[in-house]
Each structure stands twice: as structure tokens, then as C-alpha cells.
Amino acid sequence: MISFVVPTLNEQQGIEKTLVCLAAYSGDHEIIVSDDNSTDDTVEICRRYATTIVRYNEPEKRTIAQVRNRGAAAARGDYLVFVDADVLIPDIDDFFRTSHARFESDERLVALTGGTRVMPESASVADRFVFTMLGLQFLLQNNILRVGAASGKFQMIASDAFATVGGFNENLVASEDMDLFRRLSRIGRTYFARDLMVYHSGRRARALGWRKLLWQWFSNSVSVFFLNRSVSRDWKVVR
């Protein structure tokens, strides 16, 4: 069984497309939406598709690691699949048939990720270049160096392995996704599957520009790797 875990915060513009995509999966699954106190119609939309909705109602600001962990705590699946609220997975049955085959063929495998691309109709040359390079980085780290790395756009993790490492580090404002895969690679194998691809809106690069976003990714990743803390004190919401 797969537990899809989707963190949300004021996602009314695009969340329905993501949930329709996940709901189309014909295998045994559940959809868990972990909502960070949305003030728009996000939750109302999610009720049409989600198996479970976990909501915060406290005024304090949370990290996305906290939101993801809250969703994972409600999950019952053998695998946790974390996707962002602007992600689409084409041919979802084939996608997870391939994913399951990876886990079944390697008993050491604890976590899997794949490539990411901006939606073809809106992708720029810079988008395609950056995400191609990011895929090569994840290929090198996971499959060759055995130092786990993955974007939060798509992470498929064995539930028992997720519990063993204690889930996402809730103290991290950014690079919590990279940190999780790195810790998972210490207890088993993490893998980058070149034949798996998810698509997303690319909205953060649109809002900030690639120069600023790349610097944020780099500085936070290095700081978390060496110092176990993020450089960013707040991760700006982009919608």
C-alpha cells in the first residue's frame, strides 16, 4: 500500500490537479493532505479526494518538515510517497509499477527518487538545464557515492526506514528533503531512477529568479550538511 503525503498551504489554484492525478492510481493507496492552516479553499477542495486531512490550527508558523511529519504520522502504507502540491505524475500506474519493481529487486533499498521537470508547456531553457543538472547530481550522490540526496518534489520511502531515522528534521527550514535522504543512506540504499519523472509548476524559480534560488539551495544544503542547520530562517511561500 502507498500513502501519498501532500503538504499544503493556500494551494487552491493547483491542488486539484495534483490530487486528481494521485487518485487515478489504481493500486492500493491512500491520500493524506497535511494542511498548514490554509485560509483559502484548499481544504474544501482536498475533501473531494483525500482519504485523510490533517490540519494545524495553531497560529505559530511551522517548517514544512513538521507538516510532512504530521501527515506521515497518519499514514498506514508500506511506502510513504511525499510529493509537493504542484506535482503531476504522468502514467501513474506505470510509474509506481516501476517503483515497486525497484524495491522488490533490491532488499537494501530504503528510498527512491527520480527526475523532476517543469511542465513542458511553461518550461524555459534555464528550467530544463537546471533540473537536468540536478538530476545528474542526484544520480552521482545516490547511485555512485552512496550519499543520499533528493528533492521534496518526489520521495518514495519504506515506512519502516522512515520511522527508523525519525522522519524529517523539524528544526530545518530548508534542505530538510536532502537531509532526510542522507540519513536514510546510512541505514540502507537510496536510489535515483532515471526512468522516473515528475512534473511541477516551477513557481519558485519564476518568483525569485534562478540566480537567487540556486544560491538559496546551495547555501542551505552546505550548511545543513556540515552544521545541521539551515541558513534560511524563513522559507517564503510562493503561490
Side-chain angles (χ1 to χ4, degrees):
M1 178 180 177
I2 288 178
S3 295
F4 295 108
V5 180
V6 187
T8 58
L9 173 58
N10 296 333
E11 296 282 3
Q12 67 177 15
Q13 292 184 347
I15 186 61
E16 188 164 23
K17 290 181 179 179
T18 296
L19 296 182
V20 167
C21 172
L22 300 180
Y25 177 54
S26 64
D28 190 14
H29 72 278
E30 63 180 353
I31 299 174
I32 299 172
V33 170
S34 185
D35 185 71
D36 191 10
N37 203 15
S38 292
T39 56
D40 62 3
D41 291 333
T42 295
V43 173
E44 292 304 314
I45 295 170
C46 291
R47 286 197 177 107
R48 304 171 196 163
Y49 306 97
T51 310
T52 303
I53 298 177
V54 180
R55 295 199 71 185
Y56 283 99
N57 51 24
E58 301 89 356
E60 294 80 10
K61 188 171 179 61
R62 284 151 293 278
T63 64
I64 193 170
Q66 290 174 290
V67 179
R68 286 182 172 136
N69 280 346
R70 178 73 70 93
R76 299 177 295 110
D78 304 294
Y79 299 98
L80 301 173
V81 174
F82 295 95
V83 296
D84 284 348
D86 64 335
V87 164
L88 297 179
I89 304 175
D91 302 318
I92 193 166
D93 281 350
D94 287 340
F95 186 99
F96 284 106
R97 191 177 297 113
T98 300
S99 300
H100 278 298
R102 295 284 184 188
F103 280 97
E104 290 172 357
S105 65
D106 187 351
E107 63 181 12
R108 301 167 300 167
L109 188 63
V110 296
L112 177 73
T113 190
T116 60
R117 292 288 187 274
V118 174
M119 305 292 184
E121 63 271 17
S122 60
S124 67
V125 173
D127 294 334
R128 289 190 286 268
F129 176 77
V130 169
F131 285 108
T132 296
M133 292 299 103
L134 193 63
L136 290 174
Q137 175 192 337
F138 291 165
L139 173 68
L140 175 66
Q141 288 191 234
N142 289 289
N143 301 6
I144 299 174
L145 299 179
R146 301 290 192 251
V147 178
S151 163
K153 295 295 182 189
F154 167 64
Q155 299 182 331
M156 183 172 181
I157 304 167
S159 296
D160 55 354
F162 184 83
T164 297
V165 300
F168 291 94
N169 183 342
E170 298 187 355
N171 295 319
L172 298 178
V173 172
S175 288
E176 79 294 331
D177 41 11
M178 298 283 280
D179 171 76
L180 175 63
F181 254 57
R182 184 161 53 251
R183 287 185 286 117
L184 286 165
S185 68
R186 296 170 185 162
I187 67 166
R189 186 180 181 189
T190 61
Y191 186 77
F192 174 83
R194 287 175 287 181
D195 53 347
L196 298 178
M197 187 72 67
V198 303
Y199 293 85
H200 59 96
S201 66
R203 59 192 178 185
R204 187 165 293 275
R206 297 279 185 278
L208 302 181
W210 271 120
R211 181 178 298 180
K212 183 174 182 179
L213 182 55
L214 286 171
W215 173 248
Q216 286 184 352
W217 284 352
F218 175 77
S219 59
N220 280 299
S221 182
V222 170
S223 181
V224 169
F225 186 89
F226 289 105
L227 303 175
N228 200 34
R229 64 172 182 263
S230 305
V231 171
S232 297
R233 293 293 171 259
D234 181 46
W235 196 247
K236 181 181 178 182
V237 175
V238 173
R239 299 291 179 264

